[in-house]
Amino acid sequence: MISQQYPSQLLERAVQEFSKLPGVGRKTALRLVLHLLRQEDQDVQAFVEAVSRLKHDVCYCKTCHNISDAERCPICADPRRDATTVCVVENIQDVMAVENTQQYHGLYHVLGGVISPMDGIGPSDLEIDSLVKRVEEGGVREVILALSPTMEGDTTNFYIFRKLAPYDVSISIIARGVSVGNELEYTDEVTLGRSIVNRTPFEGK
Amino acid sequence: MISQQYPSQLLERAVQEFSKLPGVGRKTALRLVLHLLRQEDQDVQAFVEAVSRLKHDVCYCKTCHNISDAERCPICADPRRDATTVCVVENIQDVMAVENTQQYHGLYHVLGGVISPMDGIGPSDLEIDSLVKRVEEGGVREVILALSPTMEGDTTNFYIFRKLAPYDVSISIIARGVSVGNELEYTDEVTLGRSIVNRTPFEGK
């Protein structure tokens, strides 16, 4: 495609900024920018302010490091949640994903990533020490490891497992097995193998 | 899907604003917002500023109503362009589309829409009077109508044609025919019919 010359530097600049967003090319960026240009002044103002305020005013929960508007996130602050269970996740999207299942009623601990030497991310870049401190302070009976089943996730799981070994806390990991709704014949052999080794009693319900 | 509760009002607000953009749902909006949240302060600042400045500082060319940073757009200000030919288009995207063909070297006139009684858009909402004035002032020898081949486009074409009838200017319309690269059998009968009626001499080049 011929690289397009916009008749306005301001337009060019806005399109450039939008096309830095993930999954947004120059064509989509132009569409979004022209849409904003057609909106009322106050609507564009609201858009700009929402982004700006999010970046400047957002906090992270001091306990679990989830995104929050206050020092403690609504989950940590909720007295109905089971504070003896902590689910360790990689990022705030994963908190939302687990919350969406409506199957978990404990608290979280957001690591902010996984150990990945290739990307230069070591244990000290993650919220692992604060997790150990949380366990050390007592009150936590179970730590559930809910990281992605990748090499980096497994490395991080193992690192956390060793770090928590001295403490009186049970450590579990989310089940790996066949996905609900998937065809068995297309499940990869590692997953299928695990699902056979880790079979559970059939409850016939 | 369960309607998702975000742990932060600021996040909720930003996601809401992004999901107002065309083709952006809540899931995509969340991805875009979390991407921005991970960026450096100055990068988010640059994003916000680009949008804000575009909305506040952008001008429209006094001659052709194309988007511009100054009173005259770069196309109108370019002395190498043929000022005797004016191509009438619906919006600024269409200017870019025609420019991309690299086949046109005249000027433009951006109407800002087409006549559409269903949407309450009449001739007075469009830049038609200013087009007539441009022709009246002299210097324009040909007006090329390049609106979309829809009912609204045709109505607008006819309206402009009648408005310009008193003046000594030739009026042409972009060719309608089979699309380059399309299978003939899938071309609709109106287009195919037109392409036969409006056949051009075969140049054998």
Side-chain angles (χ1 to χ4, degrees), chain B residues 80-101:
Chain B
R80 288 165 304 176
R81 312 257 338 189
D82 169 17
T84 64
T85 314
V86 171
C87 179
V88 177
V89 292
E90 187 177 333
N91 53 41
I92 55 183
Q93 288 103 302
D94 294 344
V95 173
M96 295 182 206
V98 176
E99 281 296 286
N100 259 351
T101 66

Side-chain angles (χ1 to χ4, degrees), chain B residues 112-149:
Chain B
V114 283
I115 297 171
S116 171
M118 294 283 282
D119 303 315
I121 302 173
S124 60
D125 300 314
L126 306 174
E127 294 293 348
I128 294 178
D129 287 345
S130 58
L131 173 67
V132 175
K133 204 162 152 251
R134 245 176 117 174
V135 171
E136 202 172 31
E137 282 168 354
V140 179
R141 278 208 293 271
E142 182 179 3
V143 169
I144 303 172
L145 300 171
L147 303 179
S148 298

